[in-house]
Amino acid sequence: MKKSGRRYPAEYRERLVGLVRGGRTPEELSREFEASAQSIRNWVAQAEVEEGRGVDGWTRRERKEVRRLRAENRRLREEREILKKAAAWFARETVSGSSGS
């Protein structure tokens, strides 16, 4: 099955989550609305996580923080490598410059 890549508005997702919680099945809602049953199940599971009732997974805020921290970590590693190379270069320059004095 091909993924559509479509993003549904938050209100639409919340409404379908509410309908599932009210007793309707994702399959039933999938036939009535354009979202797939799997998407609806995923939205229900994510809503559970967001509300602190989910068994597994991260909230959107946690995922955003992890992405930010990974980017920061990548940047800091790059900066550290640059500083290591600069320190090695300056050490060589200091050694070669002091022997000529």
Side-chain angles (χ1 to χ4, degrees):
M1 189 178 302
K2 186 176 181 183
K3 226 175 147 178
S4 71
R6 175 159 183 195
R7 302 252 329 148
Y8 294 95
E11 299 81 24
Y12 178 82
R13 294 189 310 261
E14 291 166 6
R15 173 128 170 86
L16 290 177
V17 167
L19 291 171
V20 169
R21 289 178 173 168
R24 310 258 320 257
T25 68
E27 290 74 22
E28 177 186 349
L29 294 170
S30 175
R31 287 188 294 274
E32 188 175 334
F33 299 94
E34 63 185 64
S36 71
Q38 185 59 53
S39 291
I40 297 168
R41 282 190 291 275
N42 292 345
W43 298 338
V44 171
Q46 185 62 42
E48 296 288 318
V49 169
E50 296 289 337
E51 295 163 2
R53 297 185 297 173
V55 179
D56 192 22
W58 292 354
T59 65
R60 287 181 180 89
R61 189 173 74 237
E62 289 169 332
R63 283 195 306 269
K64 184 177 178 180
E65 177 72 1
V66 167
R67 279 193 303 273
R68 185 190 69 74
L69 289 170
R70 284 180 178 161
E72 181 181 355
N73 195 7
R74 191 171 33 256
R75 181 182 55 79
L76 291 171
R77 286 176 193 262
E78 290 171 0
E79 290 175 1
R80 186 185 66 201
E81 285 302 311
I82 291 168
L83 290 171
K84 280 171 52 176
K85 289 176 183 178
W89 185 84
F90 282 116
R92 280 193 312 272
E93 286 297 310
T94 302
V95 169
S96 66
S98 65
S99 64
S101 300

